[in-house]
Amino acid sequence: MATSTSNRPSIPEPTRTYIPPLRNGDHLSGEEFLRRYEAMPDLKKAELIDGRVYIDSPDSYPTVRGTKMASPVSFEEHSAPHFDLIGWLALYRSATPGVRGGDNGTVCLAPRTMPQPDAMLLIMESHGGQSRVGADRFLHGAPELVAEVAYSSVSYDLHEKLEAYRQHGVREYVAWRVEEASIEWFVLREGRFDRLKTSEDGVYRSEVFPGLWLDPSALLRGDLNATLQVLQRGLASPEHADFVARLKAASAR
């Protein structure tokens, strides 16, 4: 005899929580921004600046099965400059214990400001730095130096984002303006960003990271070998040796 199932209680289906997508211009808290961003694995770069969401040209993204996908990244205007910039910073980091670097990581500068710089260099918290990696695995606080490769985002990188970096204590900001073929270096002094001047030989010398020297002309023309040769001179300077000693002393406290 068949058993009747008409009186059996129905088992409800699992409740699915809807997470709205990030949209350019949204005004969100930092917590809500991260929640939505983490739910969009195909979105490669989104930033929260003073509570407003910035996504690079979302209307131009291709649509696949009804979903907007991330925009392509050009080689000459972003990929290649970004690669050389990271190589320059990575060599400095390799010779400077107590310093770390990052690439395209979300930085929690403040509850409503979470940029995603192209590159960053920071002094570790254990060595006296001003930022730390939180329990959520994100960087909290301002890295000492950030760098951006600015092409389609140049007006944003040199206005809203520059102001956010200044306001929240980033000490140096390197902006590579690809279309204009120029590299600008800003230094935080008394609460404002001043343009760093090159020395007589045309080289930028960091005020925060002694020995971090940059020949902008070499980097702009894609001569990575010449760029790194200048950096090697900086790494061999007495100023860099003294900085390494100070970092070591700070870590021992």
Side-chain angles (χ1 to χ4, degrees):
M1 179 176 178
T3 302
S4 173
T5 60
S6 60
N7 294 325
R8 291 181 181 176
S10 60
I11 300 175
E13 294 184 1
T15 302
R16 295 182 179 179
T17 302
Y18 172 69
I19 301 179
L22 285 175
R23 295 184 177 88
N24 207 36
D26 281 347
H27 290 269
L28 302 173
S29 67
E31 182 180 359
E32 181 63 13
F33 169 75
L34 291 176
R35 186 176 81 99
R36 295 189 188 187
Y37 197 177
E38 291 177 332
M40 299 176 68
D42 291 325
L43 181 60
K44 302 304 180 186
K45 186 165 186 175
E47 302 181 287
L48 187 71
I49 304 297
D50 196 23
R52 181 179 177 181
V53 175
Y54 290 84
I55 304 174
D56 185 19
S57 303
D59 293 335
S60 67
Y61 293 1
T63 300
V64 179
R65 297 188 181 91
T67 302
K68 287 285 187 180
M69 306 300 286
S71 63
V73 176
S74 65
F75 183 80
E76 294 292 354
E77 286 76 25
H78 192 89
S79 179
H82 187 178
F83 183 88
D84 289 351
L85 185 70
I86 290 293
W88 168 67
L89 291 173
L91 177 58
Y92 183 83
R93 189 237 167 180
S94 72
T96 316
V99 167
R100 295 188 69 185
D103 168 20
N104 267 310
T106 296
V107 179
C108 301
L109 289 180
R112 287 163 44 86
T113 299
M114 298 180 180
Q116 188 175 321
D118 287 326
M120 66 188 93
L121 199 66
L122 58 96
I123 299 171
M124 295 167 60
E125 182 184 21
S126 58
H127 290 67
Q130 61 185 21
S131 61
R132 62 178 180 82
V133 178
D136 55 8
R137 312 301 291 170
F138 292 113
L139 188 69
H140 290 257
E144 279 72 18
L145 181 147
V146 296
E148 301 281 4
V149 178
Y151 183 68
S152 61
S153 61
V154 64
S155 61
Y156 160 55
D157 286 336
L158 291 173
H159 291 88
E160 291 91 343
K161 194 184 286 189
L162 181 146
E163 174 59 20
Y165 288 151
R166 181 203 66 78
Q167 182 179 355
H168 296 290
V170 170
R171 297 176 62 190
E172 294 191 322
Y173 177 31
V174 178
W176 185 339
R177 304 176 64 171
V178 176
E179 196 166 25
E180 293 85 353
S182 69
I183 295 175
E184 296 178 272
W185 195 313
F186 300 90
V187 179
L188 189 65
R189 296 172 180 154
E190 298 181 352
R192 69 176 187 273
F193 266 144
D194 292 336
R195 282 181 169 83
L196 182 67
K197 295 181 179 180
T198 58
S199 55
E200 292 183 358
D201 57 357
V203 172
Y204 282 124
R205 288 170 166 83
S206 171
E207 294 183 359
V208 177
F209 291 96
L212 183 62
W213 293 6
L214 174 65
D215 180 346
S217 297
L219 192 60
L220 286 168
R221 67 175 181 266
D223 191 342
L224 188 57
N225 183 51
T227 301
L228 298 184
Q229 284 182 0
V230 170
L231 176 56
Q232 290 283 14
R233 286 168 41 207
L235 295 175
S237 68
E239 294 80 11
H240 181 257
D242 180 64
F243 181 52
V244 170
R246 285 188 280 121
L247 289 173
K248 183 177 180 181
S251 69
R253 292 172 188 164

